[in-house]
Amino acid sequence: MSKFTCLRWLGLTVIKRQFTVNEQRCDIIAVDENKRLVVLELKNGEDRYVVQQLTRYYDALLEHKPFAAWITIDQFA
C-alpha cells in the first residue's frame, strides 16, 4: 500500500514531493479531482506561521506556474 493512499481517499493525486520554488520547499504538491492545485505542508508540531508559509508557496506557484499542464492554474483548492 502506498504511503499516499489516504490522499487518494480524499480525491487527491500527488504530483510532486519536496518541490522547490523561489528557494522554498513545498512538502507535497497534489491535484484534486477538479484539477485544482493543492499544497500540503507537513508539521511535527504546532507552527503558528504555517499560513504565511503556505501563502508564500501559493504566490510563488502562481508566478511560476510549474504545473500548468496538470492543473487549472486559476483555481487553487
Side-chain angles (χ1 to χ4, degrees):
M1 183 182 315
S2 165
K3 59 178 125 182
F4 296 115
T5 300
C6 63
L7 295 177
R8 276 188 254 132
W9 288 341
L10 296 172
L12 301 176
T13 301
V14 173
I15 57 176
K16 196 73 173 170
R17 292 179 56 215
Q18 298 296 310
F19 180 73
T20 302
V21 61
N22 281 5
E23 299 180 13
Q24 301 175 84
R25 186 169 296 151
C26 306
D27 288 337
I28 299 173
I29 303 291
V31 63
D32 74 3
E33 295 167 335
N34 295 313
K35 295 183 135 188
R36 293 179 297 189
L37 190 65
V38 179
V39 179
L40 301 168
E41 181 63 24
L42 307 176
K43 298 292 183 190
N44 287 327
E46 186 176 325
D47 183 348
R48 64 187 211 170
Y49 300 107
V50 71
V51 173
Q52 291 89 341
Q53 185 177 14
L54 288 170
T55 301
R56 287 192 309 271
Y57 295 163
Y58 173 87
D59 290 340
L61 290 166
L62 276 180
E63 179 184 343
H64 295 282
K65 299 177 179 60
F67 303 106
W70 287 76
I71 64 167
T72 304
I73 198 67
D74 60 344
Q75 295 184 14
F76 281 73

